[in-house]
Amino acid sequence: QVQLQESGPDLVKPSQTLSLTCTVSGVSMTSSYYYWTWIRQPPGKGLEWMGAMNTDGSIWYNPSLKSRTSISRDTSKNQFSLQLSSVTPEDTAVYYCAIGDRLDSTNRGEYDYWGPGTQVTVSS
């Protein structure tokens, strides 16, 4: 079965960099052609697509977050990671990794698999 699991700190101080890792099992990051995606949901708000990497290694970012966002992968570990720099309290959200065959959807149903999400709070 395909499983995704987010991991990383649950508290980040303002101005620091938020770093999360998604560990994927049951599907190959190099042989299965998906978009490997980071999505977040601030409290009381809808889903916000942050960015994605495809199986070839190409990367796309939400223009509103591009200057602060970096997505990378470690294919040997079947992991992909998110870094969000210069965080503020408005970056507090549940962060999800997800995979599917659509690039930048904010519709949960258009993704095939999701991690359970991890709550990240930005606070001093």
Side-chain angles (χ1 to χ4, degrees), residues 65-79:
L65 299 170
K66 183 177 181 179
S67 66
R68 300 193 292 130
T69 307
S70 179
I71 293 172
S72 59
R73 67 178 177 176
D74 184 342
T75 57
S76 69
K77 298 180 179 179
N78 229 40
Q79 294 178 329

Side-chain angles (χ1 to χ4, degrees), residues 5-70:
Q5 179 66 62
E6 304 90 350
S7 61
D10 59 5
L11 180 65
V12 182
K13 292 181 169 60
S15 82
Q16 295 187 340
T17 296
L18 183 163
S19 297
L20 297 172
T21 296
C22 181
T23 300
V24 181
S25 62
V27 60
S28 172
M29 195 168 292
T30 57
S31 64
S32 298
Y33 205 86
Y34 286 110
Y35 294 105
W36 310 81
T37 303
W38 286 101
I39 303 167
R40 70 180 183 180
Q41 187 169 30
K45 298 182 179 180
L47 297 173
E48 181 180 29
W49 180 85
M50 301 185 70
M53 176 181 289
N54 74 6
T55 304
D56 295 331
S58 298
I59 304 171
W60 297 263
Y61 297 108
N62 186 326
S64 69
L65 299 170
K66 183 177 181 179
S67 66
R68 300 193 292 130
T69 307
S70 179

Side-chain angles (χ1 to χ4, degrees), residues 1-4 23-28 78 99 113-114:
Q1 62 179 323
V2 176
Q3 292 183 318
L4 285 72
T23 300
V24 181
S25 62
V27 60
S28 172
N78 229 40
I99 59 175
Y113 303 102
W114 292 76

Side-chain angles (χ1 to χ4, degrees), residues 38-50 65 90-97 106 108 114 116-120:
W38 286 101
I39 303 167
R40 70 180 183 180
Q41 187 169 30
K45 298 182 179 180
L47 297 173
E48 181 180 29
W49 180 85
M50 301 185 70
L65 299 170
E90 291 189 352
D91 293 311
T92 294
V94 177
Y95 285 76
Y96 299 93
C97 55
T106 55
R108 176 178 283 268
W114 292 76
T118 185
Q119 172 70 48
V120 179

Side-chain angles (χ1 to χ4, degrees), residues 98-118:
I99 59 175
D101 60 8
R102 195 175 191 279
L103 174 61
D104 58 357
S105 178
T106 55
N107 183 348
R108 176 178 283 268
E110 293 185 340
Y111 293 89
D112 293 328
Y113 303 102
W114 292 76
T118 185

